[in-house]
Amino acid sequence: MTAPLPSPHLADDRLDDYADGLLDAPAREATRAHLDGCAACAERLGELRALLTLSAAERRPVEPPAELWPLIVASTIEWPRLRQQVLRSMRVPLLVMAAILIALSTAATAWVVPRLSAIVHADAAAPSLSTILDEDADYDRDLAGLDHEHGPVERARVRDLRQRLAAADSRLRGASDDEAFYLALAERERVVKEIRPLFGRAPRPPRAPVPASPGAVPR
């Protein structure tokens, strides 16, 4: 510590560092010179050193009572037996929990496996792109039969559906990746959902082809 001495007396931290021998040479000499000429600071230093001496005297090792050691040894010897008793008492609850976990696992397997199987079979039966385009060609022919002035459906609506279906099919053919393909497929499904009721056909859930490999577009 090389900060200048405070005036008119030494700060407490300067006295603490001086008593502990933590000051560098210039600060130590300046502090000693101040103490030589300042009775108040010298008295404070004496009180501080007396307190440190008393504190050091009070720091003495404490021996544990002799009667404590047999208790420690006894508890150490009894620990394996106590451990066995605890484990034995927990054996039944652990067996019950294991049985419950096995039952839950069996129930979960019974619930999941049929559904996974259904998904796999549904994917295996998913139509190819050519099948979808053939279906759309049939839809377009049916719509063409309604495309006249006095048809049961407004002509502008029929033409809008045909254009949207053709645009979706064009995007399906030109899709460069799975994302583009499924976006086009989603639009195609929306158009088909509007077309089917025009011919008395009930809506059906969309059937999405599954790519043969990641990044591959179904053809």
Side-chain angles (χ1 to χ4, degrees):
M1 297 178 59
T2 58
L5 289 175
S7 179
H9 299 295
L10 296 174
D12 290 339
D13 58 348
R14 175 63 68 95
L15 276 179
D16 291 342
D17 289 345
Y18 181 80
D20 293 336
L22 300 178
L23 297 177
D24 56 18
R28 186 170 57 253
E29 293 300 325
T31 301
R32 182 180 297 113
H34 180 88
L35 290 170
D36 290 341
C38 180
C41 289
E43 183 180 356
R44 289 166 54 211
L45 177 63
E47 294 174 352
L48 176 61
R49 284 175 170 170
L51 179 63
L52 292 175
T53 301
L54 179 62
S55 174
E58 291 297 325
R59 292 198 303 268
R60 60 180 184 274
V62 178
E63 290 292 333
E67 60 271 16
L68 182 62
W69 290 113
L71 296 177
I72 296 175
V73 174
S75 64
T76 305
I77 294 174
E78 289 295 315
W79 169 244
R81 187 172 63 84
L82 179 61
R83 177 170 167 271
Q84 289 181 354
Q85 290 177 351
V86 171
L87 292 177
R88 191 178 299 114
S89 65
M90 294 178 61
R91 182 174 303 169
V92 173
L94 288 175
L95 290 175
V96 172
M97 289 300 298
I100 292 174
L101 288 176
I102 292 173
L104 290 176
S105 176
T106 302
T109 302
W111 186 86
V112 170
V113 169
R115 285 158 179 78
L116 289 177
S117 178
I119 293 173
V120 170
H121 284 88
D123 289 346
S128 64
L129 177 59
S130 60
T131 300
I132 292 176
L133 296 178
D134 289 342
E135 289 180 357
D136 290 354
D138 292 337
Y139 286 133
D140 186 67
R141 280 192 294 271
D142 293 339
L143 288 171
L146 301 177
D147 191 3
H148 53 81
E149 291 291 344
H150 305 291
V153 182
E154 185 180 352
R155 193 171 193 181
R157 175 166 169 73
V158 172
R159 291 186 173 181
D160 176 67
L161 290 173
R162 294 184 70 186
Q163 290 174 359
R164 289 167 56 196
L165 184 63
D169 288 347
S170 177
R171 286 196 293 271
L172 284 172
R173 293 189 187 93
S176 58
D177 54 33
D178 289 346
E179 181 179 2
F181 181 85
Y182 284 113
L183 288 175
L185 185 64
E187 175 59 26
R188 182 260 180 189
E189 292 293 340
R190 284 191 287 269
V191 179
V192 169
K193 187 177 180 180
E194 296 180 38
I195 293 174
R196 290 179 64 82
L198 299 181
F199 303 99
R201 303 169 190 170
R204 72 180 183 198
R207 300 178 301 171
V210 178
S213 60
V217 176
R219 296 296 180 189

